[in-house]
Amino acid sequence: MADAAVGARALTVALPPAGADLWADLVTARRRARGALRGDHPHELGFLEAFARVVGDDVTVVADMCIPGYWLAAMHQPAGPRRFQYPMGWGHAGLRVPCGARRGGGRPGAQRLRRRRLPLRLRRAGDAKQDGLPLTALVVDDGGYGMLRFDQRHSGAETYGVDLDTPDFVRLADAFGIRATAVEGLGDDFGKALASHLADPEPTLLVARAALAPPPTTSPLWYRQGPPAWADPLAGLG
């Protein structure tokens, strides 16, 4: 944050002169960023790598507002334009089902990948089965509201209202006649299961039971000096 005039003058001084070579080695920058993150986020980087290994160039990924979606938005490299869709900004939970159904309709054999930690919308699940849409739904089940849970812990507060009794997603999918499987974690078993689901021309559901920490691009991690003043709702009232 800066005063606009002060910030503009600082940028003028800091930026290279006109005509200077502004080329950036993005491949090297990306590799360094991943290396810096690996120490603090080995499981999250493992998820990204397993995901990238099995998601082919013909797959369109639609991520929802969830921690795995934040990681994909920050570091996934889509194969081309419109191969990754993501709702920028807060409050757009639920995008992946209607958007994926629309993208999948009328395109036999074109695999679609959806991912979210929250339950599938049942009406859309039935639509996918009835219309034979080539959708693969990926639910990363962390047992509740993972982002809110992290936010509360980061602020130093005791968690509340974030650990939920989630349904049995596999049995829900079975009720619609949709093939569904579940794996623990996001390692090798996850990668093999995801590859199997993507190869299936019918709609399927894969549940991965795992909890991920959010990437440094999410808002609670902007506060590098500790929790913000508003983290304690009772501050200033005594």
Side-chain angles (χ1 to χ4, degrees):
M1 301 292 291
D3 177 271
V6 174
R9 286 193 293 271
L11 285 173
T12 301
V13 173
L15 289 174
D21 184 6
L22 299 180
W23 174 254
D25 185 351
L26 296 181
V27 174
T28 299
R30 192 175 289 116
R31 183 171 60 249
R32 288 176 177 172
R34 284 179 176 265
L37 286 169
R38 192 172 299 279
D40 293 331
H41 298 282
H43 301 298
E44 291 75 14
L45 268 291
F47 158 68
L48 289 172
E49 290 161 357
F51 189 88
R53 280 196 301 270
V54 301
V55 174
D57 291 349
D58 62 336
V59 175
T60 297
V61 179
V62 182
D64 217 327
M65 298 299 294
C66 58
I67 294 176
Y70 303 151
W71 278 103
L72 290 173
M75 304 195 70
H76 177 63
Q77 299 179 52
R82 300 182 181 178
R83 289 301 186 191
F84 180 76
Q85 300 178 27
Y86 174 75
M88 295 299 294
W90 296 99
H92 297 87
L95 170 88
R96 91 279 176 243
V97 174
C99 184
R102 188 167 188 269
R103 293 283 300 171
R107 297 183 134 183
Q111 301 296 330
R112 298 288 177 261
L113 178 68
R114 330 235 95 316
R115 48 179 327 292
R116 189 190 184 197
R117 60 176 172 77
L118 298 179
L120 291 170
R121 291 192 177 186
L122 300 184
R123 182 178 64 82
R124 286 294 184 179
D127 290 346
K129 175 60 177 178
Q130 179 173 311
D131 296 334
L133 299 181
L135 298 173
T136 295
L138 171 58
V139 174
V140 180
D141 183 9
D142 63 5
Y145 298 119
M147 191 67 241
L148 298 179
R149 184 189 295 127
F150 174 86
D151 217 348
Q152 292 173 6
R153 289 174 176 170
H154 183 74
S155 71
E158 184 177 351
T159 59
Y160 58 93
V162 294
D163 299 307
L164 306 178
D165 290 330
T166 57
D168 187 328
F169 297 113
V170 172
R171 294 181 66 183
L172 279 175
D174 287 342
F176 289 98
I178 295 175
R179 181 172 77 89
T181 57
V183 296
E184 298 295 330
L186 295 165
D188 291 341
D189 290 343
F190 163 72
K192 294 175 183 176
L194 181 57
S196 171
H197 279 258
L198 288 173
D200 193 328
E202 295 295 321
T204 67
L205 168 67
L206 172 61
V207 178
R209 300 188 182 98
L212 297 177
T217 52
T218 51
S219 56
L221 295 178
W222 296 344
Y223 304 98
R224 303 295 183 174
Q225 304 304 313
W230 48 259
D232 183 359
L234 301 180
L237 298 181

